[in-house]
Amino acid sequence: MATIGLDKLYYAKITEDASGMETYDTPVQLAKAITAELSVELAEAILYADDGASEIVKEFKTGTLSLGVDDIGSQAASDLTGAVIDTNKVLISSSEDGGLPVAIGFRAKKSNGNYRYFWLYRVKFGIPATNLKTKGDSITFSTPTIEGTIMRRNKADAEGRHPWKAEVTEGDEGVAPEVITGWYTSVYEPVFTPVAP
């Protein structure tokens, strides 16, 4: 079903232990979302046998997330890009900046009124693009865009895999209401029921 909206854009800072395993801080709102463009790059291998493709493997390699937002506040800019806030509360960007990865969550409204919810587990952002224009005969809004690289997380889930995205649709069969109501209280952790032998 088609989506007709985008809102509730959140991020959660990541803390890594000595082995690189992630834990997530409590999510906080990043900004008001205007656009979210997600593209994925796959690693692909084809095994040819008997004059044809015998096996094909496609795996997630990396992705790109481009966010159009109404404004990026100083604290969010600092958390996402590594810029620092000085004593006078001025955001200082330097050539040495390099933000740490964060988790990004958002939701998209579907045409039936339900929402599709997302968490991207590990996104490393670059410097936001700023487009400014002088005011002319009509009013034109100028809003920032920030682009990040999506990576798989280091911490494996209960099945030994390294997720890069969690996605759920409100109202789908079997989706517990607490999954939806708790989506922004913490970054979603995959849950798997063990299969009886």
Side-chain angles (χ1 to χ4, degrees):
M1 185 173 294
T3 58
I4 57 171
L6 172 69
D7 69 353
K8 290 209 168 213
L9 179 59
Y10 279 68
Y11 74 99
K13 292 169 63 173
I14 296 173
T15 304
E16 295 182 23
D17 65 16
S19 62
M21 299 300 112
E22 299 93 344
T23 56
Y24 299 98
D25 288 356
T26 301
V28 295
Q29 190 161 17
L30 194 159
K32 291 183 179 179
I34 298 172
T35 60
E37 296 178 27
L38 172 66
S39 61
V40 175
E41 185 179 338
L42 299 176
E44 181 177 321
I46 302 173
L47 174 66
Y48 291 93
D50 286 341
D51 294 332
S54 174
E55 293 183 38
I56 300 173
V57 175
K58 293 184 180 193
E59 294 180 348
F60 173 80
K61 183 176 176 183
T62 187
T64 302
L65 176 66
S66 182
L67 295 174
V69 295
D70 69 332
D71 189 25
I72 298 176
S74 296
Q75 188 59 57
S78 177
D79 291 342
L80 270 55
T81 69
V84 296
I85 300 171
D86 77 0
T87 305
N88 295 318
K89 303 298 181 198
V90 175
L91 183 68
I92 307 297
S93 298
S94 65
S95 60
E96 293 82 12
D97 292 348
L100 298 173
V102 296
I104 295 291
F106 53 92
R107 70 181 188 173
K109 189 172 187 177
K110 297 173 57 175
S111 58
N112 68 359
N114 289 338
Y115 287 89
R116 181 173 297 140
Y117 291 79
F118 299 86
W119 271 111
L120 302 174
Y121 286 112
R122 192 174 176 90
V123 182
K124 185 165 172 91
F125 284 99
I127 305 300
T130 304
N131 300 307
L132 304 173
K133 184 177 178 181
T134 191
K135 187 170 75 170
D137 290 338
S138 62
I139 297 172
T140 303
F141 289 104
S142 296
T143 58
T145 301
I146 187 165
E147 190 171 286
T149 300
I150 304 164
M151 302 167 277
R152 70 171 201 157
R153 73 178 190 180
N154 297 324
K155 185 168 99 175
D157 62 23
E159 296 200 332
R161 299 183 304 183
H162 300 271
W164 64 274
K165 176 178 79 165
E167 179 179 342
V168 66
T169 301
E170 178 183 27
D172 276 2
E173 185 177 335
V175 176
E178 57 269 16
V179 170
I180 301 302
T181 58
W183 197 254
Y184 294 108
T185 58
S186 62
V187 175
Y188 181 79
E189 280 295 327
V191 177
F192 297 99
T193 304
V195 177

